[in-house]
Amino acid sequence: MTVEQIQSLLQDIITEIDCVDDQESDSDLSIEDVEVSDHESNSEQHFSDNESDLETSLGDSTFYIGKDKITKWQQKEFTTSKIRQHNIINVVNGLKECARNIVSEMDAFLKIIDVDMIDEIVRCTNMFISNMRQRVQYSRPRDCLDTSRCEILAYFGLLFLIGVKKAHHANVKELCSADGSGIAITRATMSYKRFLLLCRCLRFDERETRAERRAIDKLAPIRTTFDLYLNNIKQNYNLSEYTTIDEMLHPFRGRCQWI
């Protein structure tokens, strides 16, 4: 082999080594590793010759495509548009300040069923009991006495207790039984006959004026109490924009125009 052939062979080897080095340097440069800086120093930015192929224009902004060919890295800071007025929520949902310091179950109950509602129920119930005393002759006057705020609260407590014990289908005599099979607190609260009398006489409006009010309002029998109930809810709880409404079917066999 002559000297010229040896020199030519060495030159080919050196050329192949340079090509391999160039390919390795290009592969080490990841597309996601490209950083755009505000500095103009050439020592801080080293871009490959094919960098222009990585840039894509979308409107006025320029971004880089990542290795997964999906992720886009924007050069400029992304700014959002102004939030529309109807999408701004100014009310925080949940309990209001007046209802956050509740320490007992009774306080929570009176926030919804307050004293004004109880007094209205007592007034309307006593009017119906008074009419019953005139129509029915009771053997003992104590069997048809007027009720009071304390007794109505005790009556509501018994109704809640019956619901908690899942005894709403049980006979009242079974609940007031003294042989140990009933609920002892029911007999301690009121008698069997008194409980039935309150169940019969409980009213939420004046019966004498109900007919003319029902002509324009289908909720006339409970309108006053219902409005007080809604007012108490609004005063103690914020619904805000995150409230959802769902339907629920309750077992009911009576006749009602607005069911």
Side-chain angles (χ1 to χ4, degrees), residues 88-251:
I88 299 177
I89 299 174
N90 297 322
V91 179
V92 180
N93 63 321
L95 293 174
K96 292 186 177 180
E97 188 66 28
C98 60
R100 293 179 182 176
N101 298 324
I102 298 175
V103 295
S104 65
E105 292 81 0
M106 191 64 187
D107 293 338
F109 178 81
L110 291 177
K111 287 294 184 179
I112 304 300
I113 310 296
D114 61 355
V115 177
D116 294 336
M117 293 178 62
I118 300 297
D119 292 341
E120 179 66 17
I121 295 173
V122 170
R123 185 182 69 86
C124 297
T125 302
N126 286 335
M127 292 177 61
F128 187 82
I129 292 176
S130 177
N131 293 332
M132 284 190 62
R133 283 198 299 263
Q134 297 176 4
R135 292 184 288 106
V136 181
Q137 298 296 329
Y138 288 91
S139 59
R140 297 180 302 178
R142 65 179 185 178
D143 292 337
C144 195
L145 294 177
D146 289 344
T147 184
S148 61
R149 181 194 302 174
C150 182
E151 188 178 36
I152 291 296
L153 289 174
Y155 172 75
F156 287 163
L158 286 180
L159 295 180
F160 277 108
L161 180 63
I162 292 173
V164 170
K165 298 296 183 180
K166 300 185 183 300
H168 50 283
H169 291 299
N171 194 308
V172 181
K173 289 184 177 180
E174 297 177 0
L175 299 177
C176 300
S177 178
D179 59 359
S181 61
I183 303 177
I185 195 173
T186 56
R187 300 193 312 274
T189 304
M190 64 182 63
S191 64
Y192 161 72
K193 291 184 178 180
R194 186 63 178 176
F195 182 81
L196 291 182
L197 180 68
L198 292 178
C199 290
R200 182 182 179 184
C201 299
L202 191 69
R203 292 295 182 273
F204 303 93
D205 70 323
E206 298 181 6
R207 191 174 182 178
E208 289 75 9
T209 60
R210 181 185 298 175
E212 58 185 44
R213 288 184 289 107
R214 180 176 282 178
I216 58 175
D217 186 9
K218 292 184 178 181
L219 287 179
I222 60 170
R223 171 57 65 185
T224 304
T225 307
F226 186 68
D227 289 342
L228 293 174
Y229 173 75
L230 293 181
N231 187 37
N232 292 336
I233 292 178
K234 293 178 182 179
Q235 290 181 357
N236 294 281
Y237 195 86
N238 286 326
L239 296 179
S240 77
E241 300 289 337
Y242 299 101
T243 302
T244 58
I245 301 176
D246 196 5
E247 65 276 0
M248 183 176 181
L249 299 179
H250 293 274

